[in-house]
Amino acid sequence: MPAVLIALRMVPFLLTRILEPPEGKVLPAVGYNPIDWFAYAAFTRQAAETGDWLLSNPYASMPQAGRFIMPLFSVLGHVVRWTGLDVFWAIELSRVPLTFLFFAVLWWFLAPLVADARKRLMAIVLVAFSGGLELLVLPTVNRWPVELQTVAYQALSDDQGWNTFAALYNPLWIAGLTCTLIALRPVVQPGGPQNLTQWAQTGIGYVITHLVHPYSGLVVLSVVCANPVLRLLLGQTDNLKTQLIGLAKTVMPAVLVVAAISWWQNQDIVYRTTAARVLGNNPLSVFWYPVTLGVLLVLAIRGWRHWLTNNTPGRLEVLAWTAAVVFMHSSPLFNGHHYVFHLHLPVCIVATCAFDQLWRAAQNETHTRQLVAALALAALFQSPIASTFRAVKNVVNYQIPAPAMAALDRLAQLPAGIVYTSPHLGTLVPAYTPHRTYLGHWFMTPDYRTRQNHFNEIVEGRADPMTVIEFWRKEHIDY
């Protein structure tokens, strides 16, 4: 199963290596969202060329101490350093072992919640291949009111990771999800953590998850906190005191460790300015669930009815997990779009029993019910093909002018320095060269909007030439 998923995931990247672009254009070696892919390549290249494990922001021209902790890209960078492998190939190929590891951990994670091996396999099938109905809705968006079109295209983008198949485009998300499962297993098992060792697993797992992918670390912490809160609200206080003691002994010290690391990182102004953008009002509303979850949402509702009616062990733990993720991705405080890729997993687990019934209906019911069940299954599992098609379209349409690529090749031969260029080219420069940029990736560039406006003033001739020259000297611009 992971092999099938990996093969589909690699199609967009491989096509960029095979297809011949139009004359005067170059297809970059990207497998999904090009903008983020270039940022990942920039960090990986930096680790490969410097040998550093602590990385600097390649999209900031100011002096900095290197406070970015990015284990995945540091490891990939050293692999590139040792083997000579191309940076872009290294990122793409990293999804292979990461995906196999994710599904191995998922099988282990599900054991306390889904003891039956057959149903556990069905849960994994749902995780791997189920998705929403974007295929039916996206073609209609251009007929919506203009003010809603941009919102809809952004919310329904595969880059949001509404389903795990879409999320597994991103190797950093795969690593984050895997660490999250390891950290949360004791918390979401029926009854919660049973002893101090299991609490320690969650506490240490939280720290590691935070270091690998801070957004996933916040999800782990939210789920851990949501569990006792939900029990208190529902009056389920049987072992609440024991749970709070375990949390205080292990998770609270882990939070202090993360706080200490964050304090140290924030002593560097570049890191502090970049990290400040974690908070913000960019949520993803539950309004999109009927589209982004589709048939899976119906199965999950039926699954919850079954779990609650039969008092299924683990129901409170999984409910707390789900509620925490829903709060995170729909909150106007946390830039919720960073967390929605965690939603699909608990939804699939709850939907498994209803999926089992649907599968049996497709085989053993009347012809009419078999037809309905077959259509429901088709709607449930069409997403991987549709998502792959959209990904191919996106990466194939992302073409770089050949002169721009030639300029990048020339820059790659020059001593490392600071490059001043457009935000589009600035996003590419650190991915292909040893240079940093004054203006580049929209999220990683400190004070991005101000710098973009300043660049526009220069290229439009509205800036005084002498002021521009003095500005370049002040910012130590080399190229």
Side-chain angles (χ1 to χ4, degrees):
M1 188 186 309
V4 174
L5 190 149
I6 290 168
L8 284 173
R9 294 293 69 179
M10 292 187 75
V11 168
F13 180 88
L14 293 178
L15 284 178
T16 66
R17 303 300 83 213
I18 296 171
L19 295 178
E20 191 70 29
E23 186 176 355
K25 300 288 186 179
V26 176
L27 286 176
V30 296
Y32 93 119
N33 183 337
I35 303 302
D36 286 350
W37 196 270
F38 291 133
Y40 297 164
F43 282 111
T44 303
R45 180 176 296 279
Q46 181 184 149
E49 293 179 345
T50 65
D52 293 339
W53 291 92
L54 295 176
L55 304 177
S56 300
N57 184 346
Y59 299 102
S61 57
M62 306 92 84
Q64 50 187 307
R67 301 289 173 92
F68 285 79
I69 302 173
M70 301 182 129
L72 176 61
F73 302 126
S74 295
V75 169
L76 288 178
H78 281 77
V79 169
V80 170
R81 184 181 181 89
W82 299 331
T83 64
L85 185 65
D86 176 76
V87 166
F88 293 92
W89 273 101
I91 298 173
E92 176 64 26
L93 293 177
S94 71
R95 288 204 302 231
V96 176
L98 285 172
T99 301
F100 276 104
L101 177 62
F102 167 75
F103 281 104
V105 170
L106 179 60
W107 180 266
W108 164 79
F109 173 88
L110 289 173
L113 294 169
V114 189
D116 180 73
R118 176 180 172 276
K119 289 188 176 180
R120 202 186 313 173
L121 182 60
M122 297 188 80
I124 289 178
V125 170
L126 281 179
V127 170
F129 299 114
S130 67
L133 300 173
E134 295 91 341
L135 175 68
L136 301 179
V137 176
L138 281 172
T140 71
V141 172
N142 60 2
R143 300 184 182 90
W144 294 18
V146 175
E147 60 272 16
L148 293 179
Q149 290 182 18
T150 300
V151 175
Y153 281 127
Q154 290 179 347
L156 300 179
S157 169
D158 294 314
D159 294 342
Q160 305 290 2
W162 282 103
N163 58 75
T164 305
F165 182 88
L168 295 188
Y169 267 128
N170 189 333
L172 186 58
W173 283 2
I174 306 175
L177 283 171
T178 303
C179 292
T180 298
L181 292 179
I182 294 172
L184 286 183
R185 189 181 194 256
V187 177
V188 302
Q189 69 182 0
Q194 304 299 311
N195 50 54
L196 198 60
T197 301
Q198 292 188 350
W199 272 114
Q201 177 183 327
T202 295
I204 296 171
Y206 161 62
V207 175
I208 294 173
T209 304
H210 171 82
L211 295 177
V212 171
H213 189 233
Y215 296 118
S216 293
L218 284 173
V219 170
V220 170
L221 186 60
S222 297
V223 175
V224 170
C225 295
N227 212 312
V229 170
L230 180 64
R231 288 182 175 278
L232 189 62
L233 291 174
L234 297 178
Q236 302 283 338
T237 59
D238 295 343
N239 65 340
L240 184 60
K241 183 178 179 180
T242 304
Q243 297 273 330
L244 292 175
I245 292 173
L247 191 149
K249 287 183 176 180
T250 58
V251 177
M252 288 302 103
V255 171
L256 292 177
V257 170
V258 169
I261 294 172
S262 298
W263 176 86
W264 171 76
Q265 290 176 298
N266 277 280
Q267 299 313 296
D268 179 74
I269 187 172
V270 173
Y271 180 88
R272 183 167 66 250
T273 306
T274 307
R277 303 187 70 181
V278 169
L279 300 178
N281 183 16
N282 193 5
L284 280 173
S285 171
V286 298
F287 164 80
W288 300 107
Y289 284 1
V291 179
T292 57
L293 296 177
V295 175
L296 183 65
L297 178 62
V298 177
L299 296 181
I301 292 171
R302 296 186 63 180
W304 271 119
R305 185 174 64 182
H306 174 83
W307 277 44
L308 296 176
T309 301
N310 295 278
N311 292 326
T312 302
R315 64 194 181 281
L316 293 181
E317 290 77 12
V318 175
L319 179 59
W321 179 15
T322 308
V325 177
V326 170
F327 169 77
M328 292 291 284
H329 85 67
S330 60
S331 169
L333 302 175
F334 299 106
N335 273 332
H337 66 286
H338 290 299
Y339 308 99
V340 74
F341 74 100
H342 281 272
L343 176 67
H344 192 244
L345 278 169
V347 171
C348 287
I349 293 170
V350 175
T352 298
C353 57
F355 172 49
D356 185 25
Q357 296 172 356
L358 180 64
W359 182 257
R360 294 178 187 276
Q363 297 174 314
N364 302 320
E365 295 289 347
T366 64
H367 291 307
T368 301
R369 290 191 174 183
Q370 283 182 334
L371 178 60
V372 172
L375 291 174
L377 288 172
L380 182 63
F381 292 116
Q382 48 72 36
S383 185
I385 301 299
S387 177
T388 301
F389 175 81
R390 289 191 293 268
V392 168
K393 183 179 178 181
N394 289 340
V395 299
V396 169
N397 287 338
Y398 193 93
Q399 300 168 2
I400 301 173
M405 187 58 73
L408 292 174
D409 292 339
R410 180 72 180 97
L411 275 173
Q413 301 170 23
L414 300 175
I418 308 297
V419 177
Y420 190 85
T421 185
S422 69
H424 174 67
L425 281 180
T427 302
L428 277 63
V429 167
Y432 287 94
T433 77
H435 308 293
R436 288 185 288 144
T437 59
Y438 176 84
L439 173 62
H441 191 275
W442 69 274
F443 185 84
M444 296 299 299
T445 300
D447 202 13
Y448 174 83
R449 191 62 60 193
T450 300
R451 295 186 176 210
Q452 183 185 42
N453 291 337
H454 181 263
F455 174 82
N456 291 337
E457 288 179 2
I458 293 177
V459 298
E460 291 169 6
R462 292 185 283 116
D464 177 68
M466 296 306 297
T467 304
V468 172
I469 293 173
E470 181 58 30
F471 162 77
W472 283 342
R473 287 175 181 168
K474 179 182 175 182
E475 294 293 335
H476 306 289
I477 304 297
D478 297 294
Y479 307 105

